[in-house]
Amino acid sequence: MKKFQVVGIGNAVVDVITRTDDAFLGDMGIEKGIMQLIEQDRAKQLYAAMGNRVQTPGGSVANTIAGLGNLDARAAFIGRVADDDLGVFYSSAMTNEGIAFANEPVPGGELPTSRSMIFVSPDGERSMNTYLGISAELSSDDVDEDVLENAETVFLEGYLFDKDKGKEAFLKAARACRKGGGMAGIAISDPFCVERHRDDFLRLIENDMDYVIGNEDEIRSLYRNDDLEADLKAVSSICDLVICTRSGDGVTIVDRGTRIDVPVTKIVPVDATGAGDQFAAGFLYGLATGASMETAGRMGVVAATEVIGHLGPRPEASLPDLFRKQGLL
């Protein structure tokens, strides 16, 4: 038995949340209801101006790994944080959730720990200001091959694909995991990132990935058209396992040419943040425990349904209890 069932690699971002009003947003020049990237000086300014702050560890694949921690899976996370207050907080918080944090905070890091400052206005709108910081500097030096060779599955975050050092880290991690007999997969994460690096993405999926997870927009972005069925056929011809989430239309899984469609019950989300991350957690848990593809898909749907029922990208209820209620465990 491998030490880890799933090892995730992704951005390590502290979500810093506070409640505010429209007047404050106007005074600080914050555009309401959108996510925008900001630079270091602006990050310091906004962080200092926040009132009562709530801090939680975030990042897409990190949220998935936290979901696996909720499921008592043997999971680890590789991400880059600085040895500052937020970096120490992030590392400790992940460890407290039952996740092995594979990288110590970087002493004298070249940049501060990444953070997303989220201002929640009275109407529920979330205005996000994200400073990418040190997490975007993750490189192959941050990848411990011993950790990956002792993993059944590695799960990579497409958001890190913008830098060559991130691509190199992906290749090192995927090849180390596969060398140890494990599987390597990726969350496409962002159709705009695919637009910038389409050929490299497709090359990675074809040559180094055993599975790929994406929503329908992300899958279509691989081939630049609006024919999802043709795109699913194309990507499944270069990758053994393809998982496509289609919001209220369900989930399509193509496993070595065999298609499985998993339905969903449409509900109005309280907060859709984290739906894809927690779907991945449920699905990867099914994969790690030898469940059928249909059952793994249903586990993903249950986990995603839980997280969209409340604020925040990580589960609040016990996912094992929810799985048992649905007859999945």
Side-chain angles (χ1 to χ4, degrees):
M1 183 174 65
K2 298 278 190 180
K3 182 177 181 180
F4 300 112
Q5 290 169 298
V6 183
V7 173
I9 300 179
N11 278 307
V13 182
V14 179
D15 289 335
V16 188
I17 306 168
T18 191
R19 294 191 177 275
T20 190
D21 54 32
D22 290 348
F24 175 87
L25 297 179
D27 290 343
M28 297 300 296
I30 297 170
E31 192 166 348
K32 184 176 179 178
I34 69 165
M35 192 285 284
Q36 54 187 346
L37 296 177
I38 58 175
E39 298 299 326
Q40 184 175 344
D41 288 346
R42 175 67 166 165
K44 291 180 179 178
Q45 178 195 25
L46 292 182
Y47 186 77
M50 299 181 90
N52 293 324
R53 298 183 290 247
V54 175
Q55 297 180 172
T56 62
S60 178
V61 164
N63 290 334
T64 295
I65 298 300
L68 285 157
N70 181 288
L71 286 158
D72 295 323
R74 303 187 309 279
F77 179 70
I78 294 173
R80 191 170 176 83
V81 298
D83 188 19
D84 53 21
D85 288 346
L86 287 179
V88 172
F89 163 79
Y90 193 100
S91 175
S92 299
M94 291 292 281
T95 301
N96 291 340
E97 291 183 4
I99 306 302
F101 195 76
N103 303 60
E104 292 294 323
V106 180
E110 66 274 27
L111 292 170
T113 296
S114 310
R115 76 285 309 263
S116 180
M117 283 148 292
I118 303 168
F119 298 87
V120 183
S121 45
D123 57 4
E125 285 280 3
R126 295 159 64 92
S127 306
M128 303 173 68
N129 297 262
T130 301
Y131 168 61
L132 293 178
I134 198 173
S135 71
E137 301 301 316
L138 185 137
S139 73
S140 58
D141 292 340
D142 298 301
V143 176
D144 185 335
E145 290 184 335
D146 288 340
V147 172
L148 275 302
E149 288 180 10
N150 281 287
E152 296 173 11
T153 299
V154 62
F155 188 45
L156 309 172
E157 181 175 313
Y159 286 124
L160 283 172
F161 213 68
D162 267 329
K163 294 191 175 183
D164 287 341
K165 63 176 70 176
K167 297 176 187 178
E168 292 165 4
F170 280 6
L171 288 173
K172 181 179 179 180
R175 290 170 182 174
C177 183
R178 295 175 102 188
K179 178 182 176 182
M183 296 176 64
I186 190 168
I188 302 178
S189 299
D190 184 352
F192 300 107
C193 186
V194 176
E195 288 289 336
R196 295 189 291 273
H197 309 285
R198 180 173 289 103
D199 290 343
D200 283 345
F201 247 116
L202 287 170
R203 191 177 301 112
L204 178 76
I205 291 169
E206 180 170 14
N207 296 321
D208 293 284
M209 295 294 105
D210 299 293
Y211 64 94
V212 57
I213 300 178
N215 63 35
E216 53 189 322
D217 290 333
E218 293 158 357
I219 296 292
R220 280 197 296 260
S221 72
L222 289 170
Y223 297 98
R224 287 182 289 188
N225 64 50
D226 291 324
D227 189 343
L228 180 62
E229 294 302 318
D231 295 340
L232 284 171
K233 184 176 180 181
V235 71
S236 62
S237 73
I238 63 171
C239 187
D240 285 344
L241 178 57
V242 178
I243 306 98
C244 178
T245 58
R246 298 182 290 123
S247 190
D249 293 325
V251 177
T252 296
I253 301 167
V254 184
D255 178 23
R256 294 176 175 83
T258 299
R259 176 171 176 150
I260 303 103
D261 288 301
V262 180
V264 301
T265 300
K266 293 184 180 181
I267 63 172
V268 177
V270 173
D271 179 6
T273 307
D277 303 338
Q278 295 313 319
F279 170 84
F283 181 85
L284 291 175
Y285 180 78
L287 199 65
T289 55
S292 69
M293 287 296 159
E294 180 181 2
T295 298
R298 290 177 61 199
M299 287 176 168
V301 168
V302 170
T305 301
E306 189 282 338
V307 83
I308 67 175
H310 58 76
L311 290 175
R314 297 189 173 191
E316 293 181 349
S318 164
L319 294 181
D321 287 349
L322 294 178
F323 287 0
R324 290 187 189 97
K325 289 178 182 178
Q326 295 294 323
L328 300 175
L329 289 180

